[in-house]
Amino acid sequence: MTRCRPLLGTFVEITTPEGHVSAVDEAFAAIAHVHARMSFHQVDSDLALLRKARAGDVVRLDAETIRVLRLALDLHGQSGGLFDVAVVGAALVRSGFLPRCGIARLSDYRGTSADLAILDDQHVRVEMRVLVDLGGIAKGHAVDCAVDVLQGMGVPEGLVNAGGDLRAFGDRDWPVALRDADDVARISVAARHCAIASSANLLNRRRHRGQPQSPHIGAQGRSVLCDERVTVVAPLCAIADAMTKVAMADMPLAQGLLATYGGHVLQTPHHESHT
């Protein structure tokens, strides 16, 4: 049984054996909660609250948002600042990939992830004004939340797929077709007890001040132009989702970090047709 709903800026599919309708409904509710709290666009989301915060303010956030921020800040430290949800937010607004959401002066938002101090499971102190975007990690976290719900309600096997960020559980192989950067699926892999996420931006670029820009941000806030698909396999979808962005900017760094999480970059054959 596969059900689909529009969430997280994409279509989310949940596949389970028949007879688990209530569990699937609860799983979609968990995803919808992440969508509502961590949306950059919604005026009442936690990211909107962080946007409004001044230096020194303490902001009360949803517990799920704190969980994602903890992981994001951990990855920020482990990656030497390369994975930075604050730098990403400002860069994507500047290049037009995210809306301004009433922001008068983008230059007011100079903070990085290092300027967010998590005080407890509900509160964050903002040391400098920040423009946080969790688009590179929240979708994966939502998938993990859905899987937790399904497993907690006794679903024996399933697949949660949020626009290509997916996680499989249960004693079976799930066939997954991987789309290359040119949007053509050339290979298929089997997913079992793992999460898989892919990123590319060959077909998702725009020009800003005469320079090509992508929705993926690397060192010093610069756009990463990646002509190849990058696919990461990890135990959790939040890790797989986030680490595709690191891998696009610095493959050796991503491979080293993934080893500590029990994941890896999926090496696939090179195809001249999409270079």
Side-chain angles (χ1 to χ4, degrees):
M1 176 185 72
T2 297
R3 295 176 64 186
C4 178
R5 293 185 188 177
L7 288 164
L8 307 171
T10 186
F11 289 103
V12 179
E13 293 183 340
I14 298 180
T15 303
T16 66
E18 293 184 357
H20 296 282
V21 173
S22 60
V24 172
D25 286 339
E26 290 296 322
F28 274 123
I31 294 172
H33 179 75
V34 172
H35 176 104
R37 298 318 320 150
M38 301 179 216
S39 168
F40 189 91
H41 302 73
Q42 293 187 205
V43 296
D44 58 349
S45 72
D46 284 352
L47 299 194
L49 293 176
L50 288 173
R51 253 192 326 264
K52 297 172 185 175
R54 302 283 177 170
D57 285 354
V58 173
V59 185
R60 180 170 182 148
L61 303 177
D62 186 85
E64 288 302 320
T65 306
I66 294 289
R67 285 182 63 191
V68 174
L69 280 176
R70 283 190 194 277
L71 178 56
L73 297 190
D74 285 347
L75 291 174
H76 177 259
Q78 294 171 36
S79 67
L82 179 61
F83 186 84
D84 194 324
V85 295
V87 168
V88 166
L92 295 188
V93 171
R94 185 176 298 110
S95 58
F97 284 99
L98 287 176
R100 292 191 72 90
C101 294
I103 298 168
R105 294 189 304 176
L106 197 55
S107 60
D108 290 342
Y109 297 88
R110 299 178 180 177
T112 71
S113 292
D115 295 302
L116 294 170
I118 297 176
L119 304 180
D120 54 36
D121 290 342
Q122 291 185 310
H123 297 90
V124 172
R125 185 174 61 247
V126 177
E127 307 291 359
M128 184 179 292
R129 296 198 74 182
V130 291
L131 198 57
V132 173
D133 172 50
L134 295 175
I137 190 171
K139 187 162 64 171
H141 176 74
V143 170
D144 290 330
C145 288
V147 170
D148 288 345
V149 168
L150 295 171
Q151 291 182 318
M153 295 182 69
V155 179
E157 60 184 20
L159 180 74
V160 181
N161 181 1
D165 289 355
L166 57 88
R167 183 173 160 192
F169 66 96
D171 293 325
R172 61 166 290 172
D173 291 334
W174 297 84
V176 177
L178 300 178
R179 290 185 181 275
D180 287 328
D182 60 358
D183 206 31
V184 177
R186 295 180 173 87
I187 68 168
S188 180
V189 298
R192 177 187 284 250
H193 288 301
C194 70
I196 299 177
S198 297
S199 288
N201 58 52
L202 180 64
L203 302 181
N204 187 19
R205 297 176 187 173
R206 59 184 65 191
R207 299 191 77 81
H208 176 69
R209 295 182 177 177
Q211 298 298 318
Q213 305 289 315
S214 83
H216 301 113
I217 308 302
Q220 300 177 333
R222 297 193 184 101
S223 270
V224 176
L225 304 179
C226 187
D227 292 347
E228 301 290 331
R229 167 182 47 78
V230 173
T231 299
V232 168
V233 180
L236 297 176
C237 199
I239 295 296
D241 187 12
M243 292 306 295
T244 60
K245 286 70 180 181
V246 176
M248 293 173 79
D250 190 330
M251 182 64 74
L253 173 62
Q255 290 171 327
L257 290 178
L258 278 166
T260 68
Y261 286 101
H264 62 276
V265 177
L266 184 65
Q267 301 297 325
T268 55
H270 177 77
H271 297 279
E272 292 185 358
S273 58
H274 65 106
T275 58

